[in-house]
Amino acid sequence: MIKVDLSGATHFFEAAGPDYASAAAAHRVLAEKSGPGAEFTGWLELPRRIKKTELKGILSAAAKIRGRSKALVVIGIGGSYLGARGAIELLRPLPGSGDPRVFFVGNGLSPDYLTDILTQLGDDDFDVNVISKSGTTLEPAVAFRFFRGLLEKKYGSAAKRHIFATTDSSRGVLRTMADAEGWECFVVPGDVGGRYSVLSAVGLLPMAVAGIDVKAVVNCAIDAFSAMDLRSPENPAWQYAAARQHLYSRGYKIEILACYEPSFRFMAEWWKQLYGESEGKNGIGIFPASVEYTADLHSMGQYIQDGPRTLMETVVSFEKARTSVPVPFGMGDPDGLNYLAGRDLADVCRVARDAVKAAHISGGVPNLAVSAPARDEQGFAELVAFFELSCALSGYMSGVNPFDQPGVEAYKKNMFKMLGKPGT
Ligand code: PA5
């Protein structure tokens, strides 16, 4: 299970420490579904209410795609792609033999990026999973036009069998098109917002195509949510939520999420959206940023160690490394590294992590340590449950509605007007 270690932050706490009474109140309101945005808290039950038939449908679509295609093009933006990308890069950073490549498009408007993906796709057989809860988001809708056209050119009237739409059960343009064209459909539940949807078909279908054991993910998530229903300061979600809110009240306005695994990069992107969109409103909110260690110690390390003292650092680690890689012995020791010869790289990394932690604490950066058992389905599911629950608690503790995102509309309004969308 997820463990939180606050020992690197206690030194920065006021005597009273994190406010666990407020965490308890937030948890109560969340569980009773009596707080703001309660109509979007279906994610709490998502893994346990997923129907056997739905999971079967996801697995059979994934098997179909894996059996006939060399690639899956996932079209979606924000909560409609970050979780799946985070999972796939964390758990399957390199496709195994027989695994289709998974491309993510529709998460921007760059013509060069689109062209690069089309080039990489080449003449390979492929399927498309277009994901949009609203069905009206510009970026995925534009990308879908390209890839739908490509499928029709390649497969003619059979193109429709290569399109899988994940969208609302009854509303939106994508749903209307899917029903009219007869595309296979999966549902984004109405009571789950995009950034909390990774454990629905939104995340599970691309993950299953990539070869991730989604049944294990769902089962581990059920266990994790039930373990984290614990109403006590022993709950890791309470510890994390209460510590970050306490530090925020003491002037630590920016949180950097760090990990020593490069494969964690898109999990950090997923986390940034989850926390940024949930908490940054009404003029308040911790700014979520991320760094990759040790690489960024050589670029951002100076700022973290010595810049304005407004940073708190959350370091995610995995208890077990997947591989064992001893440092080689060098005849004559020309590079002076034989003092490390035979030592496992995971051990060197652990020592580096402890050294960085001590340095940053002494430089005035509170450290929150989050550890997951391993970089596998269980570790992923536990991290998702932990970060989602902590985010909701933290949002309620700060007094905001953690489930809306009114600020996202401002740019869309301007953009549609400037692009000349009819009716704007
Ligand atoms: O969390 C959210 O609600 C957003 O990030 C959405 O997921 C994102 O804007 C995409 O929306 P949609 O799925 O409606 O295309």
Side-chain angles (χ1 to χ4, degrees), residues 160-183:
K160 61 170 67 166
R161 290 204 288 276
H162 288 261
I163 298 174
F164 299 83
T166 308
T167 188
D168 188 84
S169 62
S170 59
R171 279 178 305 185
V173 182
L174 185 57
R175 165 56 64 179
T176 310
M177 285 162 72
D179 288 346
E181 300 288 339
W183 302 329

Side-chain angles (χ1 to χ4, degrees), residues 33-94:
K33 299 197 184 276
S34 55
E39 65 279 22
F40 292 111
T41 52
W43 51 272
L44 265 173
E45 297 88 35
L46 202 48
R48 72 182 141 87
R49 79 179 187 197
I50 189 163
K51 293 202 178 81
K52 271 196 182 142
T53 47
E54 189 184 358
L55 205 50
K56 226 170 129 189
I58 290 171
L59 291 171
S60 97
K64 210 185 292 174
I65 296 168
R66 287 175 63 84
R68 70 183 176 201
S69 284
K70 287 225 166 93
L72 172 70
V73 176
V74 177
I75 303 179
I77 195 165
S80 288
Y81 98 105
L82 282 168
R85 187 159 187 182
I88 292 169
E89 296 204 1
L90 182 72
L91 303 178
R92 292 281 180 287
L94 301 172

Side-chain angles (χ1 to χ4, degrees), residues 195 277 280-282 401 403-411 413:
R195 60 188 177 275
E277 231 170 58
K281 47 196 75 158
N282 307 343
N401 173 355
F403 309 115
D404 66 359
Q405 54 283 329
V408 180
E409 293 310 311
Y411 99 88
K413 246 194 211 159

